[in-house]
Each structure stands twice: as structure tokens, then as C-alpha cells.
Amino acid sequence: MQAYYGVFCPSRDAIVAGIKNRPAGAEILVARTEKVVGFAAFSAIYPGPGLQPGFFLKELYVANSERGKQVGEALMARLAAIAVERGLSRVDWTASRTNENLHRFYGRLGGEQKDDRIFYRLEGEKLQALAARG
């Protein structure tokens, strides 16, 4: 996944440690054959519309070699099933504004773009600066 996004990839040991020490409530669905071919990382969130709980899908990734083989659809279908089983009312996620293939994929699943929200991120020095005020 890191190579796909063109960003730094930590060592295997660091990746394993990160998975083992992920925050409480963070869950990962894995699609695999003889190797991992995709995953969905998500967490429960509250509140949402009507003060109902839901899931936030942080990352959906499918290996290039497995795209077009319904791996992403299967992961999303399982995530939806887990949400329904747990009595959650929705699944929210973000997507790159410029990835038209991704927009088509989510549209085929029934996902609706919500134009009433803008995604923000606080990180690095700005995160540290705000934390120092607390």
C-alpha cells in the first residue's frame, strides 16, 4: 500500500508492532489467498445523524494484482454486514477527489458522495502546537 501511495514504508517489524498496538476499537478485515491481497481498516464512531453509531472506514486497499476480482467489493460487503450485525446505522469514508476509478467503484456499491463536508487533518508541528495549548 505504501508503494502504491508513493510514501515511506516502515520495516516489517514496525508494521507488525503497529498492528498489534493499534488503538482500541480499530479493526482490520483482511482478504487473503496464500498472501494478504487486501484489507479494510475501520473504527466505530459516535454520534452521527440521529445520534446513531456507525463505522468510519479509514483505509480500503486491494493489491494491484487483485483489482477487478471483487476483493474490494467483498471487503465492503463484509464491513456492511458487520455494521448491520452490530446495529450501526452507517459507514462513512473519504476518497481522493481526483481518483475517478475510485468514485465509480464506490458508486457501484451504492455509496453516495456527500458534498456538505470537507476533510481536515491536524498533524506534525501543528498537532504539537495545538497540544501544547491544552
Side-chain angles (χ1 to χ4, degrees), residues 42-57 76 79-80 82-84 86-93 114 117:
F42 60 98
S43 296
I45 53 174
Y46 180 85
L51 298 179
Q52 296 296 307
F55 278 143
F56 183 79
L57 174 64
M76 290 295 289
L79 180 61
I82 293 169
V84 170
R86 295 183 188 178
L88 306 181
S89 66
R90 73 193 188 287
V91 177
D92 294 331
W93 65 90
K114 299 294 183 183
R117 299 285 183 261

Side-chain angles (χ1 to χ4, degrees), residues 55-130:
F55 278 143
F56 183 79
L57 174 64
K58 171 57 181 92
E59 193 71 51
L60 176 67
Y61 180 75
V62 175
N64 282 336
S65 63
E66 303 303 310
R67 293 190 180 167
K69 298 179 182 178
Q70 283 69 51
V71 174
E73 288 91 338
L75 285 165
M76 290 295 289
R78 183 64 192 129
L79 180 61
I82 293 169
V84 170
E85 290 164 10
R86 295 183 188 178
L88 306 181
S89 66
R90 73 193 188 287
V91 177
D92 294 331
W93 65 90
T94 62
S96 167
R97 289 183 192 267
T98 60
N99 189 334
E100 291 301 322
N101 288 334
L102 194 56
H103 294 268
R104 283 190 292 277
F105 168 74
Y106 286 135
R108 285 194 309 271
L109 296 178
E112 297 177 28
Q113 290 185 25
K114 299 294 183 183
D115 296 327
D116 63 334
R117 299 285 183 261
I118 297 173
F119 179 72
Y120 283 90
R121 177 172 291 147
L122 185 63
E123 62 186 344
E125 291 178 12
K126 292 178 182 179
L127 174 65
Q128 296 297 323
L130 184 59

